[in-house]
Amino acid sequence: MAEERFAERVRGIEISGIRKMFEGAGEDSINLGLGQPDFPTPPLIREAAKRAIDQGMTGYTMNAGVPELRAAVSEKFRRENALSYSPDQVIVTAGASEALHIVMQALVDEGDRVLIADPGFVSYAALATLAGGRTEGLGLDASLHLDVEAAKEQMDGARLLVLNTPANPTGMVESEESVKALVEYAEDKGVTVVADEVYEHFTYGTPHVSAARFGEDVVTINATSKTYSMTGWRLGYMAAPEAVVDECIKVHQYCQACATSISQYAALAALTGDQSPVAAMREEYRARRDLLCTGLADLGFRFPAPEGAFYAFVPMGQNLFAKIIEKGVIIVPGSAFGTCAPDYARISYAASQDDLRRALARIAEAVLED
């Protein structure tokens, strides 16, 4: 082959550590590594997709998404988040991942600083790098929440602040006071806040608060993936001031054209239909969280109980981590989420209670051997 020539911004990015663990799992492994709900998509959503297929709704849609879905998203924001976005301020995307991508591409110039939690979700740094930005980690305090005062000190001259609450990988929910303080300070400093709220419905005491309640210069990103167990449907959405939407739609048009038509009609049913499956999933996640955290505490692990999402972020030495993997329990090293937590592991409890019990038994064996 001729001399290989690849873009430096791509060459410098590693494949996600989460995917490496997932795709390397053995046949008898218990997978607590991937952040994917194990519930089936609720029947009313599946039926809506079938109807859309039967009615021939299989062509391209408007770039921004079908009008009735954008109207439903606008109403969802009003009803659930106390946010006033018009349908024209909404873009329907191929999952929250594409929404994050188009925002980074539209707002980040070469060399711009992008602030992200460290540890934080793996995509943020990679997407910022692909857009030409320079990521800078924001430290967490002992309770695994953002250190608000330290974040303020880093905000001068930054372009974006990515705020993820409930958070992946820590499972923490930022308080209303913290969200308000960060958004208001960012607005004063000309920093756009990108609020990733995909886990908003899975909280266990501390309520989720949307960042856009406290400022104008906020991009809100969400998806049906986690809320309705629709990860494979690839349906997300973003809402923002019209000037931001005008630029983001250009990137979306040329990289995606439109989100999948069938998924859009399924999402319309999800947002406007019976919400009881969401509550049922939340209560099951709560039970799983309690099972996992109690079991880990009994084995001597000490960590803040997760307040949201479906992850526990647990301190452990790298030798013990390796032994747990050897026992066939797939978890993700803290190093996959940044530079500040190499001696931690993310454990997902988006798995059945039976699988969690089996995993705890294997982890107990690893602890005894460590």
Side-chain angles (χ1 to χ4, degrees), residues 303-370:
F303 57 98
E307 300 164 339
F310 36 69
Y311 308 108
F313 202 56
V314 182
M316 65 177 66
Q318 295 182 24
N319 286 340
L320 178 55
F321 177 89
K323 286 183 181 297
I324 291 171
I325 296 295
E326 286 174 12
K327 295 294 182 184
V329 179
I330 303 304
I331 56 179
V332 183
S335 57
F337 303 100
T339 61
C340 291
D343 291 323
Y344 277 73
R346 191 192 76 173
I347 305 177
S348 169
Y349 48 91
S352 71
Q353 293 191 38
D354 284 345
D355 277 352
L356 291 174
R357 290 188 185 94
R358 291 197 303 126
L360 284 166
R362 295 185 185 187
I363 292 171
E365 293 176 8
V367 169
L368 285 173
E369 294 177 11
D370 187 44

Side-chain angles (χ1 to χ4, degrees), residues 113 115 136-141 145-156 161 182 185:
R113 290 168 58 232
L115 307 181
E136 192 172 302
L138 299 175
L140 307 184
D141 62 22
H145 292 89
L146 280 169
D147 185 328
V148 173
E149 294 307 312
K152 287 180 180 179
E153 292 178 8
Q154 291 177 249
M155 230 180 279
D156 287 12
L161 164 65
L182 289 165
Y185 193 86

Side-chain angles (χ1 to χ4, degrees), residues 268-289:
L268 177 60
L271 291 172
T272 59
D274 177 19
Q275 300 299 299
S276 62
V278 180
M281 284 188 276
R282 178 171 57 250
E283 292 314 304
E284 176 60 18
Y285 285 138
R286 186 196 302 271
R288 294 173 179 185
R289 178 198 69 154

Side-chain angles (χ1 to χ4, degrees), residues 10-306:
V10 176
R11 285 170 59 100
I13 294 174
E14 293 288 334
I15 295 294
S16 160
I18 300 172
R19 280 285 165 182
K20 285 180 181 177
M21 300 303 298
F22 173 65
E23 292 173 5
E27 198 170 296
D28 187 43
S29 295
I30 303 166
N31 196 334
L32 305 184
L34 199 60
Q36 173 165 268
D38 63 323
F39 302 102
T41 303
L44 72 91
I45 301 171
R46 302 199 306 266
E47 291 303 319
K50 293 172 188 175
R51 283 196 303 275
I53 294 170
D54 290 341
Q55 293 169 9
M57 314 289 264
T58 55
Y60 291 126
T61 73
M62 295 175 66
N63 289 142
V66 297
E68 52 267 56
L69 176 54
R70 284 183 284 134
V73 170
S74 174
E75 170 59 20
K76 171 259 186 290
F77 279 129
R78 184 200 65 76
R79 181 181 70 245
E80 297 182 353
N81 307 96
L83 303 179
S84 298
Y85 288 118
S86 73
D88 289 341
Q89 291 177 275
V90 173
I91 302 175
V92 180
T93 59
S97 299
E98 194 223 338
L100 287 163
H101 172 65
I102 65 177
V103 167
M104 295 282 187
Q105 292 294 323
L107 299 186
V108 176
D109 250 332
E110 196 72 31
D112 279 349
R113 290 168 58 232
V114 178
L115 307 181
I116 62 174
D118 185 351
F121 180 50
V122 295
S123 289
Y124 303 144
L127 292 173
T129 299
L130 286 171
R134 294 184 294 114
T135 56
E136 192 172 302
L138 299 175
L140 307 184
D141 62 22
S143 68
L144 299 180
H145 292 89
L146 280 169
D147 185 328
V148 173
E149 294 307 312
K152 287 180 180 179
E153 292 178 8
Q154 291 177 249
M155 230 180 279
D156 287 12
R159 179 65 189 93
L160 296 183
L161 164 65
V162 181
L163 181 60
N164 176 215
T165 176
N168 178 3
T170 62
M172 291 302 148
V173 180
E174 297 298 337
S175 68
E176 179 173 342
E177 293 75 18
S178 292
V179 174
K180 184 174 187 287
L182 289 165
V183 172
E184 289 181 347
Y185 193 86
E187 190 130 343
D188 287 345
K189 296 297 180 179
V191 179
T192 300
V193 174
V194 178
D196 179 350
E197 302 185 351
V198 298
Y199 296 99
E200 64 168 336
H201 285 290
F202 302 130
T203 63
Y204 317 109
T206 303
H208 166 74
V209 179
S210 286
R213 282 179 48 190
F214 307 111
E216 300 267 333
D217 193 11
V218 177
V219 179
T220 304
I221 291 175
N222 212 318
T224 60
S225 300
K226 306 300 193 293
T227 303
Y228 300 102
S229 196
M230 292 176 65
T231 52
W233 299 74
R234 306 314 302 133
L235 198 289
Y237 48 89
M238 59 160 285
E242 289 182 13
V244 174
V245 169
D246 288 345
E247 299 307 309
C248 287
I249 197 70
K250 297 176 188 176
V251 186
H252 173 68
Q253 177 183 358
Y254 290 114
C255 79
Q256 187 67 25
C258 62
T260 304
S261 61
I262 303 306
S263 294
Q264 291 192 56
Y265 291 107
L268 177 60
L271 291 172
T272 59
D274 177 19
Q275 300 299 299
S276 62
V278 180
M281 284 188 276
R282 178 171 57 250
E283 292 314 304
E284 176 60 18
Y285 285 138
R286 186 196 302 271
R288 294 173 179 185
R289 178 198 69 154
D290 293 347
L291 170 63
L292 177 67
C293 290
T294 299
L296 291 172
D298 289 345
L299 293 174
F301 292 96
R302 298 291 178 261
F303 57 98

